Each structure stands twice: as C-alpha cells, then as structure tokens.
Amino acid sequence: VTEESGEPPQIIAVSPTEGDSGTEVTFTAEVTGDGPFTYYWDFGGGASPNQSSGVSDQPSATVTLSRGGTLPEPVATYPASLTVTNSSGTAIHDFNLSISAWWHLIEIPFEHVHAYALTPDGKPALLRGTETEVVYCVWNSGYWEEEVIPRATYKVLAHHPLTSEPVAVGSAGGETSGTVVYSWRSGAQWYQEEIEYAGWVAGIDLAFHQDGSPVVCWGILGDPFALKVAERTPEDWMIETVPTEGQDPRQPVLAVGGEDNIAVVYGNSETPGGVWIARKQATTWEISEAIPEPSSGQEMATAPDGALVLVVRRSFAHTTYITYAEETPSGWNLEDIDTSDYYYVNTVAPSFLADGEPVIAYGVNIGEQDEPVYEVRVVWRDTEAWNLSVPFPPEGNTSSWGGSLIGVSMDGTVALTVGEHDTSSNYYALFW
C-alpha cells in the first residue's frame, strides 16, 4: 500500500508589509497546498511580540509595530519572515517590514510643571511642584516614576553630560526672587547648594564645562539690570558680574563652546540693536553684537563640532521669521528658515541629530489673527537645505496646539512638549 503525499505549502503573499510605529497590526498570509498548516512569524525586531511564541495553526498574528526611523530617514526596514509547514514540507517567505516614524503622545497629568527634559536614553522627564514639595518625574514604559527633590522654583532641568544624573537650577524663596540654587542627584540622594542671593531673578540657564563642572547664569531686575555667571570650582562657586554694555540682560542663554569658553547671549527687540553675546576669554569678557536686527526669543547651543549656534525670532520690515545663525571664523552665518509673515511665532532651542545637523522646532499661527490655527513645525538641515518633517499635529487632528522642542535622544527620538490651546491638556510628543 502506497500513500500518496500531499501538496507542500506555498506562500503566495503576506500583508501588510508597512505601517506606522506604535500601531497595532494584524498580519495575514495567503498560502496554497494541503492543510493543516502551522505558522511561525519572525518580524526581525520590528514588532512586539517580535516572534511567535511557538508554531500555531492560526494564519494571522496581531502585534504592535516597533519604532520607525529618524528625521532624515523616517522609514526603518526590518527583515521579517513567515515559515509555514505541513506534513509534506516547509515554505519560508522573507519580506521587508517598513515602519514609518510618527508622533506619539504621552499625557502630562500634572499641574505646575517647572521644567522639561529628555533623558539620554530618550525618556521624557519633568519637574513638577505641589503645595508642599517638588517632584522629579520620568516616564518609564507606561507610568511616571517620581521622587521628591529639594524645594525651589526650578527653571531648568538637564542631565549631567558625564553621569546622566538629573540636575536643576532655579531660585529658592519665591517665584522670581530669592537665592539662586543648584540641585543634583548622586546615586539615590539629591543635594542642593546655594549659589548667591539674587534678589529679583529674571531668567536663568545652565551649561557644563568639558570636565562636567556646571556653569549657571542669571539676569537680575534692578536699577541697573545685572547679569551674573557662576562657575563651580573644587572649593566653591566663583561668581562674576558680566558687563552688558547697557543692554537688557533678561532671559540670558548660556553655552560652553568648543574651546571650553563660556558664552552668554541676551537682548530683546526693545533694546538697541539685536542679540548681544558676552564671551569669556581667560579672565576678561568680550562683548559683541551677534545679530544687529531687532530680535527676540534667542536660544543658543553648542554644535557637535564646537561651534556656537543661535536661533532667533528676527524682525525685519514688519515681518517676523525664524533665523538660524552659526558662528564661523569670519562672523555669524545667518540662514532664514521661515520667512512667512505669521501672526505668532514661538522660537525654541536647537538640538542636533546623530550626524551633527541641527533640528529646530517652532510654533506658528497658520490661521488668522482673530481665528488662530496653531501648528508646531519641526525642521532639520541636510547638506545645507532645510527640510520640514511630519508636522505636528498629524493630519486629521485638531490644529489647536503650541509647543517647544525638548531635544533629540541618542537613539534619534525627537521630543516636543505640546499643549492644546484654551485647555489644560499638555503632552510630550515623541517622533520615533
């Protein structure tokens, strides 16, 4: 007696082969041959769960797609496969699973948020205040981890460039007045140091030297105004008053350049000229005008190559637009990113992609003055051309949003904080 063998499996097609990151997708296969069949899926790192827990008699698999790419290359490709077996043989179908990066919202369920940051591994972090304490919060796979820290009115949250531990600066004693303080975590313990009594604090910022020692600057409202910079030495804080040439030093922005020199920018559209920069050379300060036109909303950062860069909201011929300025040996090179005449523009700080190119986000009103429609735009530069990423909010969502750029993590995740206008709803928006 001879038993005639059946028809081995043949995989005709698998679908889908593409999708948006974070979405739930059901994969199905078209298979010919004599059943029954068993199925084994392997998504090559592109889904969760990433593989079948074992062979199954079900021709479909429901999974959540993993992250997509980055701003320059928003689509990530994963080497996926399906293996189908029956009593007569086995068929293997390899296919590319293409996943597009998209915006993902994480609700911020807190009031009185003092400052935002992004941990080096891409987790949203913030400082929030209650009636009795200040809490450092980190989003960790579906929930907010919280720990109480020394009390102050914090304006800046960052993570130490060498240890990745959180640090914060602010003032203790009042919303705008009191003593400038520096707080940091080491291991499981938080510490706080008083730097100097500052009176009426008008803006504060934080940066780090290459050896990891912190630098803090702050403006003081008074008659006259004052600008202070403090460097942490092994013994104590070394505090200096920076000459400002009579310019308004409110809302100063601090950076440490490639030669480990401190730079502070300040000024607003009401002061003579535009944006001024104070740069420390050895023991003296050099003051110069970086951008001559009336400007405001200036933000500064240090590029990976050590160059100082500025982003400003520049006013020219009754038009407000976004300008990116990079310092070169011959002066500041200005690039106008967006020259549309918006009723509202919100400038935010630059960050940088893994290849060193800058990325900037800014909020605009693309509607009318009395009927605003807000949009957050994220732009990045590639070979000297500026590109607009997938805008926020995504198509089909309400456009009543405003936002700020928080940064770019080491894995390429871009993070914004966004909020719906005329509501109390606030979110982190992560592009991955």
Side-chain angles (χ1 to χ4, degrees):
V1 178
T2 302
E3 181 179 352
E4 185 175 339
S5 61
E7 192 71 25
Q10 183 178 357
I11 304 172
I12 305 302
V14 170
S15 65
T17 58
E18 61 184 18
D20 291 334
S21 62
T23 58
E24 187 176 82
V25 173
T26 297
F27 287 85
T28 60
E30 181 183 353
V31 181
T32 62
D34 293 332
F37 301 115
T38 60
Y39 302 82
Y40 181 81
W41 297 88
D42 186 336
F43 297 103
S48 178
N50 185 53
Q51 297 173 327
S52 301
S53 58
V55 293
S56 170
D57 59 359
Q58 298 299 315
S60 63
T62 300
V63 298
T64 300
L65 297 184
S66 301
R67 65 166 291 135
T70 60
L71 283 179
E73 298 179 358
V75 178
T77 302
Y78 297 87
S81 67
L82 169 65
T83 301
V84 179
T85 302
N86 68 3
S87 59
S88 301
T90 298
I92 300 176
H93 179 74
D94 297 320
F95 63 99
N96 288 327
L97 176 57
S98 299
I99 301 178
S100 298
W102 202 249
W103 291 106
H104 301 268
L105 292 182
I106 297 174
E107 184 178 5
I108 300 174
F110 308 121
E111 296 181 356
H112 310 297
V113 176
H114 293 189
Y116 302 91
L118 195 65
T119 65
D121 58 355
K123 295 177 182 177
L126 56 85
L127 295 177
R128 70 181 183 94
T130 70
E131 293 183 357
T132 59
E133 59 191 13
V134 178
V135 184
Y136 170 68
C137 307
V138 177
W139 178 260
N140 188 10
S141 302
Y143 66 98
W144 289 96
E145 293 183 343
E146 302 185 8
E147 54 186 273
V148 176
I149 74 171
R151 290 197 68 181
T153 302
Y154 293 105
K155 298 300 183 182
V156 180
L157 170 66
H159 292 83
H160 196 279
L162 302 183
T163 67
S164 297
E165 293 277 29
V167 297
V169 293
S171 59
E175 178 67 25
T176 56
S177 64
T179 301
V180 176
V181 296
Y182 174 80
S183 299
W184 76 99
R185 187 180 70 186
S186 178
Q189 182 68 40
W190 278 86
Y191 303 88
Q192 185 180 89
E193 288 184 340
E194 295 185 354
I195 300 177
E196 185 181 61
Y197 177 76
W200 197 288
V201 179
I204 192 168
D205 204 5
L206 167 70
F208 295 91
H209 281 298
Q210 294 173 1
D211 63 2
S213 59
V215 184
V216 179
C217 79
W218 64 94
I220 300 175
L221 288 181
D223 187 16
F225 293 141
L227 176 61
K228 294 290 191 77
V229 170
E231 297 178 72
R232 189 65 171 93
T233 69
E235 294 78 26
D236 202 352
W237 289 90
M238 182 180 68
I239 304 170
E240 299 179 79
T241 299
V242 181
T244 59
E245 302 292 338
Q247 306 304 316
D248 188 336
R250 283 177 287 182
Q251 307 305 322
V253 182
L254 176 68
V256 175
E259 297 181 356
D260 210 27
N261 293 328
I262 300 171
V264 185
V265 295
Y266 54 93
N268 59 53
S269 58
E270 298 178 357
T271 59
V275 177
W276 291 74
I277 182 168
R279 195 189 320 266
K280 187 175 182 180
Q281 302 286 356
T283 59
T284 62
W285 289 89
E286 295 181 357
I287 313 298
S288 61
E289 194 175 37
I291 299 177
E293 292 89 354
S295 306
S296 60
Q298 62 271 4
E299 297 288 353
M300 180 169 57
T302 305
D305 63 1
L308 295 177
V309 299
L310 290 171
V311 178
V312 298
R313 185 170 63 241
R314 194 155 62 115
S315 301
F316 183 74
H318 305 291
T319 299
T320 300
Y321 49 89
I322 301 297
T323 297
Y324 175 82
E326 187 167 354
E327 190 175 35
T328 68
S330 59
W332 290 90
N333 179 33
L334 275 58
E335 299 179 57
D336 294 329
I337 299 172
D338 196 333
T339 58
S340 302
D341 190 7
Y342 298 113
Y343 286 108
Y344 167 83
V345 178
N346 177 33
T347 309
V348 294
S351 190
F352 300 92
L353 303 175
D355 60 1
E357 292 287 10
V359 54
I360 299 166
Y362 55 96
V364 297
N365 174 16
I366 60 176
E368 302 297 329
Q369 186 172 15
D370 54 349
E371 295 182 3
V373 178
Y374 296 101
E375 181 178 274
V376 181
R377 299 193 169 182
V378 180
V379 296
W380 54 276
R381 190 179 67 183
D382 181 27
T383 62
E384 300 182 357
W386 289 92
N387 307 272
L388 179 66
S389 80
V390 178
F392 185 90
E395 185 178 356
N397 290 13
T398 175
S399 294
S400 58
W401 299 82
S404 298
L405 176 68
I406 299 302
V408 181
S409 71
M410 291 184 293
D411 68 358
T413 299
V414 176
L416 309 173
T417 56
V418 294
E420 293 181 277
H421 284 267
D422 301 323
T423 76
S424 59
S425 300
N426 292 283
Y427 304 87
Y428 264 96
L430 275 62
F431 184 81
W432 50 259

